């Protein structure tokens, strides 16, 4: 069965670091981009960045460039989203999703269950 | 970067048809994908590449795309269709996903 299972909810203080994970199974991990998407509570979906595990090529949204780091470990078919110093504005649900399709015709399926990150002093 | 415009809300009676639009400059030249997100759950794709449905998605969900508007139509609406719906395209310049603001469908 194809699955993306994310790490659990986190509560952090501003300035702390954090790394959340997305464990995949049921398909060839190296062959598909993985995207990370943010959803602030009550708001819409925002693409943050994507990684191609086959060669570790990473693309970031200009809105998140410099604030996050995306990585992947092929040996355990897991992708990661990392912050070096969290801000309160990072409070959100973060989803990972497999990217399907070809150039300029890409969609996300399936999605992980989401990881809630709360940043509060 | 593409800007996709969706109505914030649509209300529909059970058994009727819900129409959700996604406006964008020349969106008809792009492939549009639609996601359903129920409260507390992750998004699920219900239509991809304008008109295709993944396995397991009812035929009641259909898509179209032409000119400056893409449309998701839900026929014979059921209470279980109550959710937020998002359209998505790929940005031409760097191939990344761009989402519409979302439409909340309320079943009366």
């Amino acid at each position: 069965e194809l699955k993306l299972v994310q790490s659990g909810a986190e509560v952090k203080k501003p300035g702390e670091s954090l790394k959340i994970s997305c464990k995949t199974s049921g398909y060839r991990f190296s062959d598909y981009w993985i995207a990370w998407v943010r959803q602030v509570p009550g708001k819409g979906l925002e693409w943050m960045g994507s990684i191609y595990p086959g060669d570790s090529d990473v693309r970031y949204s200009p809105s998140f460039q410099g604030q996050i780091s995306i990585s992947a470990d092929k040996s355990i078919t897991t992708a990661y989203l990392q912050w070096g110093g969290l801000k309160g504005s990072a409070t959100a649900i973060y989803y990972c999703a497999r990217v399907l399709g070809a150039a300029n015709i890409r969609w996300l399926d399936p999605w992980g269950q989401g990881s809630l990150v709360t940043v509060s002093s | 970067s593409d800007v996709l415009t969706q109505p914030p809300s649509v209300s529909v009676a059970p058994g009727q048809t819900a129409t959700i639009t996604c406006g964008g400059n020349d969106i008809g030249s792009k492939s549009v994908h639609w996601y359903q997100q129920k409260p507390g759950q992750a998004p699920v794709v219900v239509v991809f590449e304008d008109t295709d449905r993944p396995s397991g998605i009812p035929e009641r969900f259909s898509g179209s795309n032409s000119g400056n508007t893409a449309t998701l139509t839900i026929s014979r609406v059921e209470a279980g269709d109550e959710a937020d719906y998002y359209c998505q395209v790929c940005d031409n310049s760097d191939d990344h996903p761009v989402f519409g603001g979302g439409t909340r469908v309320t079943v009366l």
Side-chain angles (χ1 to χ4, degrees):
Chain A
E1 182 189 1
L2 200 163
K3 290 196 296 186
L4 281 70
V5 178
Q6 298 184 227
S7 48
E10 302 271 4
V11 179
K12 292 290 188 179
K13 290 181 167 48
E16 291 185 333
S17 62
L18 176 64
K19 190 174 188 178
I20 63 175
S21 65
C22 173
K23 168 66 178 172
T24 75
S25 59
Y27 73 98
R28 283 181 61 92
F29 181 65
S30 296
D31 291 352
Y32 295 86
W33 288 83
I34 293 275
W36 286 95
V37 175
R38 182 176 83 169
Q39 186 170 41
V40 173
K43 303 297 185 183
L45 305 171
E46 299 174 84
W47 174 74
M48 304 176 71
S50 301
I51 186 166
Y52 187 75
D55 60 7
S56 295
D57 187 9
V58 182
R59 312 286 172 85
Y60 293 101
S61 163
S63 299
F64 295 95
Q65 180 89 42
Q67 301 174 36
I68 60 170
S69 178
I70 293 172
S71 60
D73 186 336
K74 289 191 287 187
S75 69
I76 54 172
T77 65
T78 300
Y80 300 97
L81 175 63
Q82 186 170 4
W83 294 260
L86 286 160
K87 301 177 182 177
S89 57
T91 294
I93 299 172
Y94 295 88
Y95 293 100
C96 64
R98 186 181 66 162
V99 180
L100 293 179
N104 293 317
I105 309 176
R106 302 193 193 275
W107 67 96
L108 308 181
D109 181 48
W111 296 56
Q113 84 277 19
S115 297
L116 174 62
V117 173
T118 304
V119 183
S120 175
S121 54
Chain B
S1 191
D2 297 271
V3 175
L4 302 179
T5 302
Q6 298 183 235
S9 63
V10 166
S11 298
V12 59
Q16 299 304 301
T17 297
T19 302
I20 305 162
T21 58
C22 177
N25 185 39
D26 196 27
I27 197 173
S29 68
K30 300 176 181 287
S31 278
V32 179
H33 321 291
W34 292 92
Y35 302 88
Q36 175 194 68
Q37 185 180 32
K38 295 183 179 180
Q41 297 184 21
V44 173
V45 61
V46 292
V47 167
F48 64 96
E49 293 193 66
D50 294 340
T51 59
D52 290 342
R53 275 186 315 278
S55 60
I57 300 301
E59 291 182 5
R60 301 185 298 104
F61 289 83
S62 62
S64 63
N65 185 18
S66 178
N68 294 320
T69 304
T71 303
L72 175 69
T73 302
I74 312 172
S75 304
R76 302 180 299 281
V77 165
E78 303 174 356
D81 298 331
E82 197 162 88
D84 294 327
Y85 292 83
Y86 295 89
C87 59
Q88 179 246 309
V89 299
C90 269
D91 184 272
N92 273 341
S93 60
D94 58 10
D95 201 20
H96 70 257
V98 176
F99 295 96
T103 298
R104 175 152 298 177
V105 170
T106 300
V107 181
L108 300 171

